[in-house]
Amino acid sequence: MAGAEIIVHVTSQELIKPSSPTPPHLKSFKICIFDQLYPTFYQSVLSFYSSSSLNTSVEDKLDKLKDSLSKTLTRFYPLAGQEKDSTTIDCNDEGVLFMVAKVSCDMVDCLKPPNLELAKKLLPFKPVFLDSPDKAVQIGIRANIFTCGGIAFGVSFNHKFVDGTTISSFFKAWAATTARENIDKEVCPHSVAASLFPPDELFSAQMPFFDEITPKVEPERRKMRRFVFDATAISSLKVKARSENVPNPSRVEAVTGLVWKCLISVSSIISGTQNPNSFVHLINLRPRMNPPLPEFCIGNILWRAVANYDPMNEITKELLPCLVKLLRRSIEEVNSDYLQDLQGEEGFKKICNLLEEEREIFSKSGKTFVASSLGKMGFYEADFGWGRPVWMTIGPIIQEAQINAIYIMGSRCGDGIEVLILLEDHEMEILEKDPELLEYATLNPDIQF
């Protein structure tokens, strides 16, 4: 297949509705204030299952997938609805879009090494939704069938009220229903987040770094690259990242700190000087609440930790430990007491004040980097009865937006970390040659089946 164009041809598409109608008292699902901070756009994930794990025909599998998807939607009924207004999802059982496509190559041609450009072709939706929000389905699923018989699921979800934890819970529940042919008794969604963090009908602000989801620069001037850290490299990096403030940095802290350090270096090379910059880490609030919320609670139950680096204030010989300290401090600040203060009417006022403070900080910052960690979401646990996926990744879809994005994911074996980074073209050309980054990370290695 070397040099040949890879064709992805959609052969069918249909709306899959819940197997049982949503009861009248559950027809309206209130979103929370955090959902209102997100525009309507599609984020995506991709999971690849090799042909060696598939023990029945593709046709039988597709029939079973659609049946189990319908059953799973009875538990996740808001995902089969549509936006009604600024605070409500109409749980009208409209359904989710299920597509089937044929790919004109073996899976190995896509994954050795991973072809991030081809990955775009495996997704149901483009990121920016141009119609009115009430016409958007919340989820699109595409089952991409390779010539070898392997399947890659491209799942696009409306980030307006679906976050990574929500889609992971849904995907795992769908896989379990397919494999076991039964439905977990636990009913998942009701408007838990909205009761704690109620929406406001007049609220129209967005997260500062999402102000422009539409292009500021041409998409072809932006690149996404994948860097993989193995267990040995991470162990060495953790030692290098230690400090008196953080004597035992986590794996993610050490890797994130190095990535941030290298991004600072790129900015310094381009500008000729070191400027203040900000690192925003999106945080799943469910386990930080008191009491914790179940992972299946639907919504963008996310907030952000903001770490600010100012070379004038942080004078240090060792930058990596300094950055790790800043990252930990920002994340630890978002604890149960902090979240308690964001609840209710007074919490709404505080959220508005925090957003304005952030806009001021980001306006003075040379660069703002936005990171999201998917490592603990359990996508590799999704077994449809064929074994676990050989690879899971985020869809490279925010490429059209002016966001310096970092996605941090676990590896299939569990002891490595993969990082996807999206930057402008000229920035990426410097980063992908950074000697310190390449000392610990491998640029886009093959996926091992």
PDB file of all heavy atoms in Angstrom, residues 287-308:
ATOM      1  N   PRO A 287     -14.376  12.886  40.845  1.00  0.00           N
ATOM      2  CA  PRO A 287     -13.737  12.329  42.037  1.00  0.00           C
ATOM      3  C   PRO A 287     -13.317  13.383  43.060  1.00  0.00           C
ATOM      4  O   PRO A 287     -12.956  13.036  44.189  1.00  0.00           O
ATOM      5  CB  PRO A 287     -12.511  11.609  41.465  1.00  0.00           C
ATOM      6  CG  PRO A 287     -12.202  12.329  40.205  1.00  0.00           C
ATOM      7  CD  PRO A 287     -13.526  12.749  39.647  1.00  0.00           C
ATOM      8  N   ARG A 288     -13.385  14.670  42.707  1.00  0.00           N
ATOM      9  CA  ARG A 288     -12.953  15.735  43.608  1.00  0.00           C
ATOM     10  C   ARG A 288     -14.101  16.310  44.436  1.00  0.00           C
ATOM     11  O   ARG A 288     -13.867  17.106  45.340  1.00  0.00           O
ATOM     12  CB  ARG A 288     -12.267  16.855  42.809  1.00  0.00           C
ATOM     13  CG  ARG A 288     -10.961  16.409  42.190  1.00  0.00           C
ATOM     14  CD  ARG A 288     -10.346  17.446  41.261  1.00  0.00           C
ATOM     15  NE  ARG A 288      -9.091  16.941  40.740  1.00  0.00           N
ATOM     16  CZ  ARG A 288      -7.896  17.202  41.262  1.00  0.00           C
ATOM     17  NH1 ARG A 288      -7.803  18.000  42.312  1.00  0.00           N
ATOM     18  NH2 ARG A 288      -6.809  16.677  40.749  1.00  0.00           N
ATOM     19  N   MET A 289     -15.312  15.923  44.096  1.00  0.00           N
ATOM     20  CA  MET A 289     -16.468  16.395  44.845  1.00  0.00           C
ATOM     21  C   MET A 289     -16.566  15.653  46.176  1.00  0.00           C
ATOM     22  O   MET A 289     -16.019  14.563  46.351  1.00  0.00           O
ATOM     23  CB  MET A 289     -17.748  16.172  44.035  1.00  0.00           C
ATOM     24  CG  MET A 289     -17.786  16.898  42.699  1.00  0.00           C
ATOM     25  SD  MET A 289     -17.913  18.676  42.872  1.00  0.00           S
ATOM     26  CE  MET A 289     -19.549  18.809  43.582  1.00  0.00           C
ATOM     27  N   ASN A 290     -17.285  16.245  47.124  1.00  0.00           N
ATOM     28  CA  ASN A 290     -17.519  15.605  48.413  1.00  0.00           C
ATOM     29  C   ASN A 290     -19.037  15.573  48.672  1.00  0.00           C
ATOM     30  O   ASN A 290     -19.637  16.599  48.982  1.00  0.00           O
ATOM     31  CB  ASN A 290     -16.803  16.375  49.526  1.00  0.00           C
ATOM     32  CG  ASN A 290     -16.911  15.682  50.867  1.00  0.00           C
ATOM     33  OD1 ASN A 290     -17.227  14.494  50.942  1.00  0.00           O
ATOM     34  ND2 ASN A 290     -16.663  16.428  51.950  1.00  0.00           N
ATOM     35  N   PRO A 291     -19.661  14.365  48.526  1.00  0.00           N
ATOM     36  CA  PRO A 291     -19.056  13.089  48.137  1.00  0.00           C
ATOM     37  C   PRO A 291     -18.783  13.053  46.633  1.00  0.00           C
ATOM     38  O   PRO A 291     -19.363  13.841  45.883  1.00  0.00           O
ATOM     39  CB  PRO A 291     -20.142  12.080  48.512  1.00  0.00           C
ATOM     40  CG  PRO A 291     -21.427  12.838  48.380  1.00  0.00           C
ATOM     41  CD  PRO A 291     -21.112  14.243  48.807  1.00  0.00           C
ATOM     42  N   PRO A 292     -17.911  12.121  46.202  1.00  0.00           N
ATOM     43  CA  PRO A 292     -17.593  12.026  44.768  1.00  0.00           C
ATOM     44  C   PRO A 292     -18.830  11.679  43.941  1.00  0.00           C
ATOM     45  O   PRO A 292     -19.744  10.998  44.412  1.00  0.00           O
ATOM     46  CB  PRO A 292     -16.562  10.889  44.711  1.00  0.00           C
ATOM     47  CG  PRO A 292     -16.012  10.803  46.087  1.00  0.00           C
ATOM     48  CD  PRO A 292     -17.136  11.169  47.016  1.00  0.00           C
ATOM     49  N   LEU A 293     -18.839  12.143  42.703  1.00  0.00           N
ATOM     50  CA  LEU A 293     -19.918  11.806  41.772  1.00  0.00           C
ATOM     51  C   LEU A 293     -19.534  10.565  40.973  1.00  0.00           C
ATOM     52  O   LEU A 293     -18.354  10.366  40.664  1.00  0.00           O
ATOM     53  CB  LEU A 293     -20.178  12.967  40.811  1.00  0.00           C
ATOM     54  CG  LEU A 293     -20.633  14.293  41.425  1.00  0.00           C
ATOM     55  CD1 LEU A 293     -20.818  15.335  40.323  1.00  0.00           C
ATOM     56  CD2 LEU A 293     -21.918  14.120  42.209  1.00  0.00           C
ATOM     57  N   PRO A 294     -20.499   9.730  40.598  1.00  0.00           N
ATOM     58  CA  PRO A 294     -20.194   8.565  39.756  1.00  0.00           C
ATOM     59  C   PRO A 294     -19.648   8.999  38.401  1.00  0.00           C
ATOM     60  O   PRO A 294     -19.998  10.076  37.900  1.00  0.00           O
ATOM     61  CB  PRO A 294     -21.547   7.868  39.597  1.00  0.00           C
ATOM     62  CG  PRO A 294     -22.413   8.434  40.664  1.00  0.00           C
ATOM     63  CD  PRO A 294     -21.934   9.813  40.933  1.00  0.00           C
ATOM     64  N   GLU A 295     -18.819   8.166  37.804  1.00  0.00           N
ATOM     65  CA  GLU A 295     -18.229   8.527  36.512  1.00  0.00           C
ATOM     66  C   GLU A 295     -19.273   8.639  35.418  1.00  0.00           C
ATOM     67  O   GLU A 295     -19.066   9.309  34.411  1.00  0.00           O
ATOM     68  CB  GLU A 295     -17.146   7.522  36.111  1.00  0.00           C
ATOM     69  CG  GLU A 295     -17.645   6.154  35.725  1.00  0.00           C
ATOM     70  CD  GLU A 295     -16.577   5.308  35.049  1.00  0.00           C
ATOM     71  OE1 GLU A 295     -15.383   5.627  35.160  1.00  0.00           O
ATOM     72  OE2 GLU A 295     -16.949   4.309  34.401  1.00  0.00           O
ATOM     73  N   PHE A 296     -20.424   7.970  35.587  1.00  0.00           N
ATOM     74  CA  PHE A 296     -21.434   7.991  34.524  1.00  0.00           C
ATOM     75  C   PHE A 296     -22.334   9.220  34.570  1.00  0.00           C
ATOM     76  O   PHE A 296     -23.260   9.335  33.771  1.00  0.00           O
ATOM     77  CB  PHE A 296     -22.291   6.718  34.551  1.00  0.00           C
ATOM     78  CG  PHE A 296     -22.852   6.357  35.890  1.00  0.00           C
ATOM     79  CD1 PHE A 296     -23.770   7.174  36.525  1.00  0.00           C
ATOM     80  CD2 PHE A 296     -22.458   5.194  36.530  1.00  0.00           C
ATOM     81  CE1 PHE A 296     -24.284   6.843  37.755  1.00  0.00           C
ATOM     82  CE2 PHE A 296     -22.972   4.848  37.772  1.00  0.00           C
ATOM     83  CZ  PHE A 296     -23.891   5.678  38.387  1.00  0.00           C
ATOM     84  N   CYS A 297     -22.109  10.157  35.485  1.00  0.00           N
ATOM     85  CA  CYS A 297     -22.882  11.395  35.480  1.00  0.00           C
ATOM     86  C   CYS A 297     -22.584  12.162  34.189  1.00  0.00           C
ATOM     87  O   CYS A 297     -21.430  12.464  33.889  1.00  0.00           O
ATOM     88  CB  CYS A 297     -22.529  12.252  36.687  1.00  0.00           C
ATOM     89  SG  CYS A 297     -23.240  11.664  38.221  1.00  0.00           S
ATOM     90  N   ILE A 298     -23.630  12.473  33.447  1.00  0.00           N
ATOM     91  CA  ILE A 298     -23.462  13.097  32.135  1.00  0.00           C
ATOM     92  C   ILE A 298     -23.232  14.589  32.267  1.00  0.00           C
ATOM     93  O   ILE A 298     -23.860  15.268  33.080  1.00  0.00           O
ATOM     94  CB  ILE A 298     -24.696  12.821  31.256  1.00  0.00           C
ATOM     95  CG1 ILE A 298     -24.659  11.376  30.759  1.00  0.00           C
ATOM     96  CG2 ILE A 298     -24.766  13.772  30.068  1.00  0.00           C
ATOM     97  CD1 ILE A 298     -25.824  10.994  29.889  1.00  0.00           C
ATOM     98  N   GLY A 299     -22.313  15.097  31.442  1.00  0.00           N
ATOM     99  CA  GLY A 299     -22.081  16.531  31.382  1.00  0.00           C
ATOM    100  C   GLY A 299     -20.604  16.857  31.308  1.00  0.00           C
ATOM    101  O   GLY A 299     -19.744  15.981  31.442  1.00  0.00           O
ATOM    102  N   ASN A 300     -20.316  18.115  31.065  1.00  0.00           N
ATOM    103  CA  ASN A 300     -18.944  18.602  31.132  1.00  0.00           C
ATOM    104  C   ASN A 300     -18.637  18.928  32.590  1.00  0.00           C
ATOM    105  O   ASN A 300     -18.590  20.091  32.988  1.00  0.00           O
ATOM    106  CB  ASN A 300     -18.770  19.859  30.276  1.00  0.00           C
ATOM    107  CG  ASN A 300     -18.623  19.536  28.814  1.00  0.00           C
ATOM    108  OD1 ASN A 300     -17.683  18.867  28.405  1.00  0.00           O
ATOM    109  ND2 ASN A 300     -19.567  20.003  28.012  1.00  0.00           N
ATOM    110  N   ILE A 301     -18.470  17.903  33.384  1.00  0.00           N
ATOM    111  CA  ILE A 301     -18.203  18.114  34.807  1.00  0.00           C
ATOM    112  C   ILE A 301     -16.693  18.330  34.924  1.00  0.00           C
ATOM    113  O   ILE A 301     -15.942  17.526  35.486  1.00  0.00           O
ATOM    114  CB  ILE A 301     -18.739  16.949  35.646  1.00  0.00           C
ATOM    115  CG1 ILE A 301     -20.202  16.663  35.249  1.00  0.00           C
ATOM    116  CG2 ILE A 301     -18.680  17.288  37.136  1.00  0.00           C
ATOM    117  CD1 ILE A 301     -20.843  15.519  35.970  1.00  0.00           C
ATOM    118  N   LEU A 302     -16.285  19.416  34.306  1.00  0.00           N
ATOM    119  CA  LEU A 302     -14.880  19.772  34.152  1.00  0.00           C
ATOM    120  C   LEU A 302     -14.651  21.193  34.639  1.00  0.00           C
ATOM    121  O   LEU A 302     -15.502  22.054  34.495  1.00  0.00           O
ATOM    122  CB  LEU A 302     -14.469  19.733  32.670  1.00  0.00           C
ATOM    123  CG  LEU A 302     -14.537  18.415  31.900  1.00  0.00           C
ATOM    124  CD1 LEU A 302     -14.251  18.683  30.428  1.00  0.00           C
ATOM    125  CD2 LEU A 302     -13.514  17.436  32.452  1.00  0.00           C
ATOM    126  N   TRP A 303     -13.506  21.418  35.191  1.00  0.00           N
ATOM    127  CA  TRP A 303     -13.037  22.768  35.452  1.00  0.00           C
ATOM    128  C   TRP A 303     -11.589  22.795  35.017  1.00  0.00           C
ATOM    129  O   TRP A 303     -11.102  21.829  34.391  1.00  0.00           O
ATOM    130  CB  TRP A 303     -13.237  23.131  36.919  1.00  0.00           C
ATOM    131  CG  TRP A 303     -13.051  24.582  37.256  1.00  0.00           C
ATOM    132  CD1 TRP A 303     -12.241  25.084  38.230  1.00  0.00           C
ATOM    133  CD2 TRP A 303     -13.698  25.713  36.663  1.00  0.00           C
ATOM    134  NE1 TRP A 303     -12.334  26.450  38.278  1.00  0.00           N
ATOM    135  CE2 TRP A 303     -13.219  26.871  37.318  1.00  0.00           C
ATOM    136  CE3 TRP A 303     -14.623  25.868  35.625  1.00  0.00           C
ATOM    137  CZ2 TRP A 303     -13.636  28.162  36.981  1.00  0.00           C
ATOM    138  CZ3 TRP A 303     -15.031  27.152  35.294  1.00  0.00           C
ATOM    139  CH2 TRP A 303     -14.546  28.275  35.962  1.00  0.00           C
ATOM    140  N   ARG A 304     -10.898  23.866  35.278  1.00  0.00           N
ATOM    141  CA  ARG A 304      -9.529  23.974  34.801  1.00  0.00           C
ATOM    142  C   ARG A 304      -8.601  24.374  35.930  1.00  0.00           C
ATOM    143  O   ARG A 304      -8.998  25.102  36.847  1.00  0.00           O
ATOM    144  CB  ARG A 304      -9.466  24.974  33.647  1.00  0.00           C
ATOM    145  CG  ARG A 304      -9.515  26.424  34.017  1.00  0.00           C
ATOM    146  CD  ARG A 304     -10.750  26.866  34.750  1.00  0.00           C
ATOM    147  NE  ARG A 304     -10.580  28.138  35.425  1.00  0.00           N
ATOM    148  CZ  ARG A 304     -10.080  28.276  36.634  1.00  0.00           C
ATOM    149  NH1 ARG A 304      -9.654  27.231  37.295  1.00  0.00           N
ATOM    150  NH2 ARG A 304      -9.981  29.450  37.198  1.00  0.00           N
ATOM    151  N   ALA A 305      -7.405  23.850  35.887  1.00  0.00           N
ATOM    152  CA  ALA A 305      -6.326  24.306  36.761  1.00  0.00           C
ATOM    153  C   ALA A 305      -5.377  25.114  35.889  1.00  0.00           C
ATOM    154  O   ALA A 305      -4.961  24.648  34.828  1.00  0.00           O
ATOM    155  CB  ALA A 305      -5.606  23.119  37.382  1.00  0.00           C
ATOM    156  N   VAL A 306      -5.053  26.322  36.332  1.00  0.00           N
ATOM    157  CA  VAL A 306      -4.200  27.207  35.539  1.00  0.00           C
ATOM    158  C   VAL A 306      -2.882  27.423  36.253  1.00  0.00           C
ATOM    159  O   VAL A 306      -2.841  27.938  37.372  1.00  0.00           O
ATOM    160  CB  VAL A 306      -4.887  28.567  35.282  1.00  0.00           C
ATOM    161  CG1 VAL A 306      -3.994  29.449  34.413  1.00  0.00           C
ATOM    162  CG2 VAL A 306      -6.247  28.373  34.624  1.00  0.00           C
ATOM    163  N   ALA A 307      -1.811  26.995  35.607  1.00  0.00           N
ATOM    164  CA  ALA A 307      -0.463  27.240  36.125  1.00  0.00           C
ATOM    165  C   ALA A 307       0.184  28.325  35.271  1.00  0.00           C
ATOM    166  O   ALA A 307       0.155  28.251  34.036  1.00  0.00           O
ATOM    167  CB  ALA A 307       0.365  25.956  36.068  1.00  0.00           C
ATOM    168  N   ASN A 308       0.730  29.316  35.920  1.00  0.00           N
ATOM    169  CA  ASN A 308       1.353  30.439  35.213  1.00  0.00           C
ATOM    170  C   ASN A 308       2.855  30.456  35.472  1.00  0.00           C
ATOM    171  O   ASN A 308       3.291  30.399  36.631  1.00  0.00           O
ATOM    172  CB  ASN A 308       0.732  31.768  35.663  1.00  0.00           C
ATOM    173  CG  ASN A 308      -0.741  31.856  35.350  1.00  0.00           C
ATOM    174  OD1 ASN A 308      -1.132  31.785  34.189  1.00  0.00           O
ATOM    175  ND2 ASN A 308      -1.568  31.991  36.376  1.00  0.00           N
TER     176      ASN A 308
END
